[in-house]
Amino acid sequence: MRVVEEIINEYRIKKYGELALDLKTSHLMLIGGRAEDGIKIEKLLIASKGNFYRYQEIIQEKLLEDYNVDFLDFSLIMGKFLGIYNLYCYIDINKEIRKKIINNKLITKKNVQNIITNNVRDIFTYLASKFNITFNDFKKFLASIYIIHDDYSLYNYPLFFELAYILMGNYLFLEFNNLSNGFIGCEDSIDFFHKMNKSYNFVRKV
């Protein structure tokens, strides 16, 4: 089975890999075992006809569909924040929170970059307290999140997840409080994301 999977992966990359890179998407988004009813990146790539803005619209439409969770949800959501599509491991983001993030017009690559730049010291101080990194390491990390990765360097990287929680939580807070701009801080952002994600999950599971 492993050999068969490798052959399928090679075929997908050979057939769709160039289009994926043109659309700022890692080859890793194409490979691996996936559920039959799961999101198929190659279908989204083809439907875009090579237009990146249309590709983003198609991804948004897919994430707004009425399904509970998909393995690629987190990776595709972070594409909205960063403007590229890398593969990250699974995080349970319930569908109501997923839809709120995808519908949030404030979340653009430019706005996210501004949030990070304007609050870089606060973000660094928080992350350094958890991961004992230098500011130089932090700058390298920030540069890396805007690069397409065909390796697993960000796949299960705790530093990236913490930043993702900060970004998602902050923008959810702005939306729930009808604010157009601002930063509530790292810990408050993380707490807000987990609180909202948990509360909606609780409603979903009752």
Side-chain angles (χ1 to χ4, degrees):
M1 288 299 292
R2 180 72 176 175
V3 173
V4 173
E5 184 176 317
E6 289 176 357
I7 292 172
I8 293 173
N9 289 341
E10 289 176 4
Y11 169 78
R12 287 192 187 128
I13 292 174
K14 183 177 180 180
K15 186 169 184 179
Y16 305 109
E18 185 175 347
L19 179 58
L21 293 180
D22 286 345
L23 295 173
K24 305 177 185 179
T25 300
S26 168
H27 287 166
L28 296 181
M29 297 288 280
L30 292 166
I31 69 174
R34 293 170 292 173
E36 284 300 314
D37 59 347
I39 295 173
K40 305 295 190 296
I41 292 298
E42 58 268 30
K43 292 184 177 180
L44 310 187
L45 292 168
I46 293 168
S48 74
K49 298 181 179 180
N51 184 303
F52 184 65
Y53 297 104
R54 177 59 185 145
Y55 181 54
Q56 291 177 302
E57 291 174 352
I58 291 169
I59 290 173
Q60 176 171 309
E61 292 165 3
K62 174 59 67 174
L63 294 176
L64 289 174
E65 290 180 3
D66 196 29
Y67 65 90
N68 281 334
V69 295
D70 186 274
F71 179 80
L72 293 180
D73 283 351
F74 177 60
S75 298
L76 294 174
I77 284 171
M78 291 316 298
K80 179 177 175 68
F81 284 85
L82 303 176
I84 60 170
Y85 296 91
N86 280 315
L87 181 67
Y88 313 105
C89 68
Y90 173 76
I91 288 178
D92 183 16
I93 301 176
N94 72 70
K95 67 180 180 181
E96 298 305 323
I97 292 299
R98 180 184 75 230
K99 290 177 180 180
K100 286 185 178 297
I101 292 173
I102 293 303
N103 276 324
N104 191 322
K105 304 299 183 185
L106 296 176
I107 303 173
T108 65
K109 179 181 177 180
K110 182 178 180 180
N111 287 345
V112 170
Q113 286 177 319
N114 287 338
I115 282 283
I116 293 174
T117 299
N118 293 338
N119 301 281
V120 68
R121 281 291 172 185
D122 288 343
I123 295 171
F124 166 68
T125 300
Y126 171 76
L127 293 178
S129 71
K130 293 203 67 172
F131 301 104
N132 193 30
I133 58 171
T134 66
F135 190 65
N136 192 48
D137 290 336
F138 177 62
K139 289 192 295 183
K140 290 179 180 178
F141 164 67
L142 288 183
S144 76
I145 67 176
Y146 296 104
I147 297 172
I148 297 172
H149 292 266
D150 281 335
D151 58 33
Y152 291 94
S153 56
L154 292 179
Y155 179 78
N156 194 21
Y157 192 29
L159 188 62
F160 181 81
F161 293 143
E162 288 294 302
L163 179 62
Y165 292 140
I166 290 167
L167 295 173
M168 289 190 292
N170 190 70
Y171 277 102
L172 285 170
F173 180 87
L174 296 180
E175 178 175 352
F176 276 97
N177 291 277
N178 295 313
L179 300 173
S180 61
N181 196 13
F183 184 64
I184 63 171
C186 297
E187 292 188 63
D188 286 342
S189 294
I190 292 170
D191 289 345
F192 191 79
F193 170 77
H194 288 304
K195 176 184 176 182
M196 298 310 299
N197 200 42
K198 181 179 179 180
S199 65
Y200 275 97
N201 269 323
F202 178 76
V203 171
R204 186 180 72 190
K205 292 173 183 177
V206 168

